Amino acid sequence: KNDTKMRRMMVFVLVLILFLTEQLNSIHGLLVPSWTSSIVHVLEHLASPPLRVTPLEDLTNIRIPGPSGVELLAHVATPTTLNNKKTARPVPVLLLIHEFFGLNPSIIDKAKGLANDLGCVVIAPDTFRGTVTDFLPQAIWLALSTPQERVNDDLDAICTYIEAGNLASVPGGRIA
């Protein structure tokens, strides 16, 4: 309910800004029209129905030991050709980093598609450590407030895990 009220309030404020922008632009020619299109884009996002946020436990299929004993959640996608053939050849690994909304079904679909298209194993880690959103201001906040050093340490731990040969489908994994 609070998210709905917040969205309605933001839509109202942005509509008001859009109206005032148009009025000032038409009267004084003060504002650049591209601002208007940016406001319209934000309005479209806020007016669209919220996405269903899928719990990370439903999206991830591996837990990787991280720094300081933290377990890192990730999704590992393997190509269907690797699943069908018994091969001992090393398979490259692609590390797929999610955008600022967090690890979500869209990223999992992209990981599966890349795995099949490129014939490699794709690992999509959760760099926000459990936080996923579809709310644009919160996504921006997540991207700005997540410590980059922590993300780097998590990614290093994942690379170490892969290089150690801990993925059954990736003997002596090479990381792309």
Side-chain angles (χ1 to χ4, degrees):
K1 279 189 170 183
N2 289 339
D3 280 348
T4 304
K5 287 181 183 178
M6 173 81 84
R7 283 178 186 269
R8 286 182 183 159
M9 179 59 84
M10 290 180 75
V11 167
F12 173 76
V13 168
L14 287 172
V15 167
L16 182 62
I17 291 170
L18 180 61
F19 174 75
L20 293 174
T21 300
E22 285 295 324
Q23 293 303 313
L24 287 173
N25 194 28
S26 65
I27 295 170
H28 302 288
L30 297 176
L31 299 175
V32 179
S34 66
W35 288 27
T36 304
S37 65
S38 297
I39 292 172
V40 168
H41 179 71
V42 170
L43 279 172
E44 287 172 352
H45 175 74
L46 290 173
S48 64
L51 299 173
R52 189 183 72 114
V53 177
T54 306
L56 280 173
E57 292 76 28
D58 295 345
L59 295 175
T60 58
N61 58 6
I62 189 169
R63 295 176 182 270
I64 298 172
S68 305
V70 174
E71 274 193 332
L72 305 173
L73 298 175
H75 180 84
V76 177
T78 56
T80 54
T81 56
L82 185 65
N83 294 336
N84 295 337
K85 298 178 184 175
K86 301 290 183 198
T87 180
R89 69 175 174 81
V91 178
V93 177
L94 179 68
L95 200 55
L96 179 64
I97 309 299
H98 59 74
E99 76 271 320
F100 67 175
F101 292 110
L103 187 62
N104 57 44
S106 171
I107 298 299
I108 301 305
D109 291 342
K110 285 176 179 67
K112 291 175 182 176
L114 285 168
N116 287 326
D117 290 347
L118 301 175
C120 64
V121 172
V122 179
I123 298 181
D126 170 34
T127 61
F128 290 156
R129 291 190 180 175
T131 306
V132 179
T133 186
D134 67 338
F135 188 54
L136 191 59
Q138 184 181 10
I140 293 169
W141 173 251
L142 277 172
L144 294 175
S145 64
T146 301
Q148 187 60 50
E149 185 175 317
R150 186 190 81 193
V151 172
N152 292 345
D153 291 344
D154 289 355
L155 295 175
D156 287 344
I158 291 167
C159 290
T160 301
Y161 182 83
I162 295 165
E163 290 168 344
N166 290 317
L167 293 176
S169 56
V170 186
R174 295 184 343 240
I175 300 172

